[in-house]
Amino acid sequence: MSWAQISALVCGVGGFGALVAATTSNEWKVTTRASSVITATWVYQGLWMNCAGNALGSFQCRPHFTIFKVEGYIQACRGLMIAAVSLGFFGSIFALFGMKCTKVGGSEKAKAKIACLAGIVFILSGLCSMTGCSLYANKITTEFFDPLYMEQKYELGAALFIGWAGASLCIIGGVIFCFSISDNNKTPRMGYTYNGPTSVMSSRTKYQGGEGDFKATSPSKQFDKNAYV
């Protein structure tokens, strides 16, 4: 059992779960309290829905009905997060087949290649999520610090931090999986057989083997039954 692969699997699967949670979340950006006139009302926006809530507990969401009226950066983040979730799913499948503790996947060399492939897929998934979350955050911060922007300003939502955390876990798990192929590329140690110590009697017999008749008479006379009488 390889503890490195187990920790990599935990990081990869955990990161994949975080990416799913971030993609489906509606808190990618939240109305800022600093410029809000009605402080008891908050607006949350995600990749798929716009939601509004107040201090009384009322909460309503409205989905984006058409894709053509959605801003370009939101569509780009949608594509990146969907790619990240898809890659994370396939990376989890490859990781299960590449684990040394499983009975599927073939030989140890084949498992190492599958684990390395899972690592590459996890790294790509993390990079897609990192790019999507950073693009969305850059748009929010640009509008927030722009003095000429007069519309409603937003702050970073919790989904962005979940997406960054999931991307980091996927990248860490992918790097560990990629290093797992180096364990099988090491040259195996040469085995030496141990024949045991050579007895004095066997070496004496072998030495006396070249002295004619003495090689057959000397050992047998020592253990003749008359010697014990």
Side-chain angles (χ1 to χ4, degrees), residues 157-181:
L160 291 175
F161 298 98
I162 296 175
W164 280 324
S168 301
L169 289 175
C170 285
I171 293 174
I172 293 173
V175 170
I176 297 175
F177 268 123
C178 287
F179 279 109
S180 66
I181 195 174

Side-chain angles (χ1 to χ4, degrees), residues 89-113:
F89 173 76
F90 288 109
S92 301
I93 299 297
F94 292 148
L96 291 176
F97 282 97
M99 295 288 291
K100 293 181 180 180
C101 56
T102 58
K103 297 182 180 180
V104 293
S107 61
E108 293 294 330
K109 187 176 182 181
K111 282 179 173 289
K113 292 181 179 180

Side-chain angles (χ1 to χ4, degrees), residues 40-191:
T41 303
W42 303 278
V43 177
Y44 305 90
Q45 290 190 10
L47 298 178
W48 316 101
M49 290 185 180
N50 295 335
C51 300
N54 53 32
L56 299 177
S58 177
F59 194 77
Q60 295 179 352
C61 293
R62 178 178 61 85
H64 300 294
F65 293 104
T66 176
I67 192 174
F68 298 104
K69 291 185 179 181
V70 180
E71 298 184 35
Y73 76 97
I74 297 180
Q75 296 182 7
C77 292
R78 280 180 176 182
L80 289 170
M81 294 306 296
I82 291 174
V85 171
S86 301
L87 290 172
F89 173 76
F90 288 109
S92 301
I93 299 297
F94 292 148
L96 291 176
F97 282 97
M99 295 288 291
K100 293 181 180 180
C101 56
T102 58
K103 297 182 180 180
V104 293
S107 61
E108 293 294 330
K109 187 176 182 181
K111 282 179 173 289
K113 292 181 179 180
I114 296 175
C116 184
L117 177 61
I120 295 174
V121 174
F122 273 132
I123 292 174
L124 292 177
S125 175
L127 291 177
C128 288
S129 176
M130 190 74 69
T131 305
C133 293
S134 300
L135 178 63
Y136 202 98
N138 179 66
K139 181 67 175 179
I140 296 174
T141 54
T142 301
E143 293 177 352
F144 187 86
F145 292 104
D146 187 5
L148 301 178
Y149 187 78
M150 304 304 297
E151 298 183 10
Q152 176 65 52
K153 295 185 178 181
Y154 294 88
E155 295 179 353
L156 302 180
L160 291 175
F161 298 98
I162 296 175
W164 280 324
S168 301
L169 289 175
C170 285
I171 293 174
I172 293 173
V175 170
I176 297 175
F177 268 123
C178 287
F179 279 109
S180 66
I181 195 174
S182 62
D183 296 336
N184 292 301
N185 291 333
K186 295 179 179 179
T187 56
R189 295 181 179 179
M190 296 180 62

